[in-house]
Amino acid sequence: MNDKKVVGEKAVDYVKDGMVVGLGTGSTVFYTITKLGKLVEEGLSIKGIPTSNQTEKLAKEVGIPLVTFNEIEQIDFAIDGADEVDDDFNLIKGGGGALLREKIIAKAAKSFIVIADPHKRVNKLGSFPLPVEVVPFGYKMTMKHIQNLGCSPLLRQNNGIPFLTDNGNYIFDCNFPIIDQPDELEKNLNLIPGVVENGLFVGMADKVITLNKEKSIIINGRL
């Protein structure tokens, strides 16, 4: 059984006719978007807002109509994956490099659903390096400020050159031993000049769809 496929497709149950849906980025949301495309083909009427160029391309391929923020009043649901999920539904996101747009869309949504295979569940955040998006100007100085918060930042690269986000920015993958206070760290990171956004999503998830040890779907949340 493909865990990602199971939880990704389960999220589609919450999408209803006429909704505006924030479409996340990553290997688990791939199955959500693909399933939504089949339902659109069968007559489901929705509009999607993609969190990345990659997602935009996939959504167009499967036939999901897309809109921009200028064309809508609200987002009903945002569906996205996570690199880590703790017991309080705090997340680390950004492994795919789309953390800024993902956070903008998650914040704008009435409800934010996270889909995660069991391996993404942790007691404390921090095993997965925290992505921090920064502007290229002065990035080495920005790195020093980030490092002062107690981590080892590593500039993300692609074939030996700095990885560029869809927004034209760099990403530092930051190794923190354990993130005990994600809310404080999120604020402190975003106070650093040059930091655009970080991959801590604190108190944003309304529902988490995952699997237990027996591979049965479990759904936790405040919806």
Side-chain angles (χ1 to χ4, degrees):
M1 181 173 62
N2 185 327
D3 293 350
K4 293 183 178 183
K5 186 174 190 291
V6 171
V7 297
E9 292 188 347
K10 181 62 180 177
V12 173
D13 291 351
Y14 295 92
V15 179
K16 307 301 180 187
D17 214 52
M19 282 186 169
V20 177
V21 183
L23 303 173
T25 296
S27 56
T28 307
V29 185
F30 169 85
Y31 295 103
T32 307
I33 295 171
T34 303
K35 181 71 177 291
L36 283 173
K38 292 178 181 176
L39 294 178
V40 167
E41 188 177 347
E42 294 170 5
L44 178 69
S45 176
I46 61 170
K47 296 175 181 177
I49 294 189
T51 55
S52 66
N53 295 340
Q54 173 190 346
T55 293
E56 180 179 354
K57 182 175 181 291
L58 175 61
K60 287 178 177 177
E61 287 175 356
V62 301
I64 298 175
L66 299 179
V67 291
T68 67
F69 274 101
N70 295 333
E71 300 172 77
I72 60 165
E73 295 295 324
Q74 66 181 24
I75 298 174
D76 296 291
F77 275 105
I79 303 172
D80 212 340
D83 298 300
E84 283 189 344
V85 182
D86 73 11
D87 293 336
D88 295 320
F89 293 1
N90 298 316
L91 318 172
I92 285 181
K93 291 179 53 54
L99 61 114
L100 175 58
R101 297 188 188 186
E102 287 173 340
K103 191 174 277 192
I104 290 171
I105 286 175
K107 182 68 175 179
K110 290 170 63 178
S111 298
F112 178 33
I113 294 180
V114 175
I115 47 179
D117 69 68
H119 304 292
K120 306 296 177 65
R121 301 178 65 192
V122 296
N123 292 324
K124 294 279 188 180
L125 300 178
S127 296
F128 190 91
L130 175 65
V132 179
E133 185 164 345
V134 305
V135 296
F137 179 81
Y139 74 95
K140 290 188 177 180
M141 184 58 67
T142 305
M143 180 188 73
K144 292 179 181 178
H145 293 311
I146 295 171
Q147 194 169 12
N148 288 338
L149 294 178
C151 71
S152 301
L154 183 65
L155 182 66
R156 189 179 297 186
Q157 299 197 19
N158 186 13
N159 295 323
I161 60 174
F163 170 88
L164 282 180
T165 70
D166 290 345
N167 314 300
N169 296 319
Y170 293 168
I171 286 182
F172 284 112
D173 292 305
C174 303
N175 287 288
F176 287 90
I178 290 181
I179 300 176
D180 281 318
Q181 296 180 300
D183 52 343
E184 288 299 314
L185 180 57
E186 181 183 26
K187 293 173 186 175
N188 289 334
L189 282 167
N190 286 350
L191 286 172
I192 296 173
V195 170
V196 179
E197 190 51 85
N198 69 82
L200 285 168
F201 286 53
V202 179
M204 296 183 72
D206 294 294
K207 191 176 290 290
V208 174
I209 301 175
T210 186
L211 302 176
N212 61 17
K213 293 180 181 178
E214 290 73 38
K215 301 297 183 179
S216 298
I217 292 175
I218 54 175
I219 302 171
N220 300 304
R222 297 180 286 274
L223 290 181

